[in-house]
Amino acid sequence: MAKQSKSSKFGRFCRKLLRIFIILFILSNIYLVVCKWVMPPITITQFTNFFGYGLKRDYVKWDEISPNLKLAVMASEDQLFPDHDGFDWKALEKSLSTNSKKKNKIRGTGASTLSQQTAKNVFLWQGNGVFRYIRKAPEFYYTKMIEWVWGKKRILDVYLNTVEMGPGIFGVEAAAQAYFHKSAKNVSRSEAAMIIACLPNPKVFTVKPMSRFVQWKYQWILKQMNNISDDPDIMALTK
């Protein structure tokens, strides 16, 4: 009887856990649809940063973001963004085959696309270790969902408004104000490259004072911007 009682309690616990998971899953999908039109009120990364660095953030509309910033982030992070389905499979295969001696080599673009980064920023959490592998399945799901529901323009819009760009600084408007005392709409090409160069570690790769990494990378980004600026699909996403 005792064994049956324990088994029954465990079964009820599992069923309750499953119901909670299903409810949270449904709510997250409703939230995903709402975010097609409404910016996320707060992300996990923003929340966790608040207690140590504060929160500097000012969401702006698509037309209030300089085309230079849109071009710079694609040039730096994901040059195939207009063309892929959320995943750059060739870059992913390349990153998985890279041996340990080359794993720290700096690459301008990598396996993690802007769509993946946006899904992670809005719906999931940052960090490496074991939690990184736990995150992979939901990251895949939310990446595909925002590709289907939001579309490329909205993904880029949300990314530029929510990505961390300095200690406690989130989004291009807050970054432009903090680093250059101007709105994101008026950022020059060089300034855009400097802001984007702080990715993927804006707490270490600082814009002001300018770290050696940012000093090198922003010049690389400028060259990449020149290389892709006349691509019709890229141009369509910078307007």
Side-chain angles (χ1 to χ4, degrees):
M1 292 292 291
K3 287 183 179 181
Q4 288 181 348
S5 177
K6 288 181 180 180
S7 177
S8 177
K9 287 180 180 179
F10 180 73
R12 286 197 298 270
F13 172 76
C14 288
R15 288 192 294 271
K16 187 177 291 186
L17 199 64
L18 180 61
R19 282 197 296 271
I20 292 171
F21 175 80
I22 292 171
I23 291 169
L24 291 175
F25 178 72
I26 292 170
L27 289 174
S28 74
N29 280 278
I30 294 172
Y31 180 62
L32 185 147
V33 174
V34 170
C35 285
K36 179 178 173 67
W37 298 280
V38 179
M39 282 291 172
I42 195 166
T43 68
I44 293 174
T45 306
Q46 291 172 358
F47 179 77
T48 55
N49 270 261
F50 176 78
F51 299 100
Y53 301 97
L55 179 58
K56 301 179 186 72
R57 186 192 72 180
D58 189 6
Y59 291 153
V60 290
K61 297 178 181 178
W62 177 260
D63 293 337
E64 296 173 331
I65 300 174
S66 168
N68 293 321
L69 284 161
K70 300 165 188 175
L71 178 62
V73 77
M74 286 187 282
S76 174
E77 300 296 299
D78 188 359
Q79 294 183 13
L80 295 178
F81 177 66
D83 306 312
H84 61 60
D85 61 352
F87 301 93
D88 185 349
W89 298 110
K90 289 183 179 179
L92 179 61
E93 183 180 356
K94 183 178 179 180
S95 71
L96 291 174
S97 64
T98 302
N99 62 43
S100 58
K101 290 183 179 180
K102 296 181 180 178
K103 69 180 179 180
N104 292 320
K105 183 179 179 181
I106 296 171
R107 294 195 306 272
T109 55
S112 185
T113 65
L114 285 173
S115 302
Q116 288 175 269
Q117 292 180 50
T118 305
K120 182 172 63 176
N121 289 345
V122 176
F123 302 102
L124 301 167
W125 60 89
Q126 308 291 331
N128 296 316
V130 65
F131 291 105
R132 177 185 181 184
Y133 298 101
I134 295 172
R135 190 182 64 216
K136 286 302 178 184
E139 182 182 313
F140 179 89
Y141 173 80
Y142 287 115
T143 297
K144 293 302 295 184
M145 286 298 292
I146 62 175
E147 281 278 338
W148 292 334
V149 177
W150 292 4
K152 296 291 185 180
K153 183 176 177 180
R154 181 58 177 173
I155 291 171
L156 190 59
D157 187 14
V158 173
Y159 180 88
L160 288 169
N161 271 294
T162 58
V163 66
E164 185 180 10
M165 293 184 157
I169 299 172
F170 289 86
V172 289
E173 178 66 19
Q177 294 288 353
Y179 301 135
F180 303 111
H181 308 291
K182 60 172 64 176
S183 67
K185 188 175 183 178
N186 297 319
V187 167
S188 69
R189 184 170 279 217
S190 293
E191 290 166 344
M194 289 178 199
I195 291 173
I196 299 303
C198 73
L199 305 174
N201 196 337
K203 290 188 180 71
V204 175
F205 307 138
T206 55
V207 178
K208 283 194 175 181
M210 188 180 291
S211 67
R212 291 180 64 184
F213 177 86
V214 170
Q215 189 173 17
W216 169 82
K217 192 178 179 185
Y218 100 83
Q219 296 178 61
W220 179 89
I221 292 173
L222 282 172
K223 292 177 183 177
Q224 297 304 310
M225 291 168 73
N226 290 331
N227 291 340
I228 69 171
S229 61
D230 59 350
D231 182 283
D233 295 327
I234 294 286
M235 291 173 64
L237 284 171
T238 60
K239 295 178 181 178

